[in-house]
Amino acid sequence: MTAGTDPAPVAAVVINPAKPAATRAIRQALGDALYEAGYRTVWLETSARETGATQARLAVASGAGLVVAAGGDGTVRSVAAGLAGTGVELGVMPLGTANLAARNLGLPLRHWEALTHIAAVGRATPTDLLWVRTEPAGHTGPLTAADDSGPVGAAPPRGAASADGARGGHGYGGHGDEIPEPPQGWARPTLGGEHACLVVAGIGFDAGLVASTRPALKARLSWGAYGLAALENLGRRRMGLVLGVTGGTMAAVAEVAGRPVAGAGPDASAEAPAAGAGRAAREDATAGTAVAGTADAGDARGSVGADDSGRLVCLVPEATPAFPGVVRTERLTARTLLIANGGKLPAGITLLPDARLDDGLLDVAAIDTVRGLWGWASLARQVLPPRPASYSAGRAAQVLLRRGREVRVLLDLPTAVEIDGDLVAPTRGVRVRVQPGALRVRRPA
């Protein structure tokens, strides 16, 4: 460097050395790409106790203009937590198994030359970050919140345990989640009392799938190990829960026994019910489905059809709430509940086609199946490639979709949660909020 020239900008690489893909060759390739882009590179390794957030904050305090997260989704979300709101750009070098963040960012997995180039000179775009807070497993009161806007539900959940432990017959067990604590321990909050989440938080079946995935199989089969784990969890219990969504809604499926829903399209063959029938459908919905009625007759704009059992159903786009702070509360039964920032999964599955990392919203999917394997087969037909997921109203598999800026969940029983592949201890209360544009993440140009 000659006298009078500006020093080269600093790039910090936060790398998980435990990842098999964190080879000397990969380190060299990334270092060379950053050097060619004009950076001085500092390398910071993660550990079991310091998973990336602290390293990222140290890099920012040291003047780094770029921080590259090299590791799996756990490393990426931890580094993201340390960079949130700082304006320092984030590069992603995916070295994990599922690599959910990389998939949703559109990065070319395992194309190492392209990946190092994007990390070094890619286009930085605003990206949202989710923050997840869980309550202790023994918590039975309303969810706490900084804005003190009240509990998820005003009344105790239907089917909740009585004083003598009795429980209604919703088809789920009478004990909490039996997922054992993983060898590395439950994930600790990333910053303060919250867990950072870049892609998805899952409750129920999704967490069981993560817990059942064996590290040895992940090393041999990559994301295929998750498929085997899914088969092991098909018999997991259903969950009873109360869902509260603040700040917006999304198209959902309404199901009405024996009669069409208001707002039918031009192909409807039956007359619409009187005003208020949409609300009646909500109240008449059976406890064994994740789908509830969605709108009053006055604001439905869907089309009516019949499912394979002859019941009339209607896809109903919901009206936007009049007040952004209003909480929409619903009682649901589901196999799994997903609260997502992005909708792409391994194996080419796009579970939530409308979910975007930069829309300032989070997407919710409550998924339920009945009739054993028939229900799972019905769900598979709706979500498997080559097309993005397209949900229909059927009795064997139901998917309820919601969208908002904050989600609160009150579970009947303690249930484990997974956050971007990391397991959080069983809980009865979950709160998720979105921080719009919290990050500037480098993507393909």
Side-chain angles (χ1 to χ4, degrees):
M1 185 182 304
T2 60
T5 60
D6 293 331
V10 175
V13 179
V14 180
I15 188 168
N16 183 350
K19 290 297 181 183
T23 62
R24 178 177 298 180
I26 293 297
R27 292 176 186 240
Q28 184 67 48
L30 180 56
D32 289 347
L34 292 170
Y35 178 80
E36 291 296 325
Y39 288 102
R40 292 184 295 119
T41 305
V42 176
W43 295 81
L44 303 170
E45 293 190 347
T46 66
S47 66
R49 290 193 59 83
E50 298 294 347
T51 57
T54 299
Q55 291 87 337
R57 295 174 78 179
L58 287 173
V60 172
S62 300
L66 168 66
V67 178
V68 179
D73 286 310
T75 301
V76 175
R77 76 179 184 91
S78 294
V79 172
L83 297 183
T86 66
V88 174
E89 297 184 6
L90 171 63
V92 176
M93 191 70 178
L95 305 179
T97 303
N99 294 313
L100 295 176
R103 294 177 192 276
N104 283 273
L105 290 166
L107 299 181
L109 294 177
R110 304 194 183 284
H111 290 77
W112 304 115
E113 184 176 354
L115 287 168
T116 58
H117 179 77
I118 294 167
V121 298
R123 174 176 55 93
T125 60
T127 303
D128 304 335
L129 186 64
L130 306 186
W131 293 96
V132 183
R133 182 185 296 274
T134 64
E135 297 286 352
H139 175 79
T140 56
L143 295 181
T144 58
D147 60 5
D148 196 27
S149 57
V152 169
R158 186 172 66 228
S162 63
D164 62 359
R167 182 173 296 276
H170 278 281
Y172 44 76
H175 300 283
D177 217 323
E178 297 180 355
I179 291 177
E181 182 174 355
Q184 69 273 22
W186 302 111
R188 294 177 293 119
T190 322
L191 282 179
E194 294 181 299
H195 302 264
C197 175
L198 196 53
V199 181
V200 64
I203 308 171
F205 173 85
D206 196 49
L209 182 152
V210 170
S212 301
T213 304
R214 299 173 179 82
L217 283 179
K218 286 172 66 175
R220 290 172 52 193
L221 302 179
S222 186
W223 54 261
Y226 290 103
L228 295 179
L231 295 177
E232 296 180 15
N233 283 272
L234 294 183
R236 283 185 62 83
R237 65 175 176 85
R238 302 160 79 196
M239 306 179 296
L241 60 95
V242 174
L243 172 69
V245 180
T246 305
T249 55
M250 186 176 176
V253 177
E255 183 172 337
V256 182
R259 63 182 185 275
V261 177
D267 297 331
S269 58
E271 295 181 0
R279 183 178 292 110
R282 249 191 332 263
E283 297 169 352
D284 293 343
T286 60
T289 178
V291 176
T294 59
D296 293 341
D299 56 28
R301 296 291 187 272
S303 58
V304 172
D307 66 8
D308 53 9
S309 67
R311 297 182 73 186
L312 294 168
V313 297
C314 179
L315 295 179
V316 183
E318 298 186 82
T320 301
F323 303 99
V326 171
V327 181
R328 176 201 173 106
T329 304
E330 302 169 275
R331 149 65 63 174
L332 306 174
T333 302
R335 297 282 181 184
T336 192
L337 182 73
L338 302 177
I339 305 168
N341 196 23
K344 295 182 179 179
L345 304 178
I349 296 174
T350 302
L351 194 65
L352 294 166
D354 294 324
R356 293 175 54 90
L357 297 177
D358 58 359
D359 60 2
L361 297 169
L362 48 80
D363 290 79
V364 181
I367 302 174
D368 196 24
T369 65
V370 293
R371 296 185 181 178
L373 291 177
W374 175 256
W376 289 108
S378 175
L379 179 65
R381 288 194 296 270
Q382 298 179 61
V383 304
L384 290 181
R387 295 178 300 275
S390 177
Y391 301 115
S392 60
R395 297 184 66 185
Q398 300 278 5
V399 180
L400 178 89
L401 302 178
R402 294 287 182 262
R403 173 176 285 170
R405 301 187 185 280
E406 182 176 315
V407 167
R408 300 185 187 184
V409 182
L410 184 61
L411 296 147
D412 287 359
L413 299 170
T415 306
V417 181
E418 70 86 11
I419 300 174
D420 287 347
D422 291 334
L423 285 169
V424 177
T427 180
R428 284 197 58 201
V430 180
R431 175 190 176 191
V432 186
R433 64 182 178 90
V434 61
Q435 183 180 357
L439 304 167
R440 291 183 54 78
V441 184
R442 293 192 170 182
R443 306 190 189 187

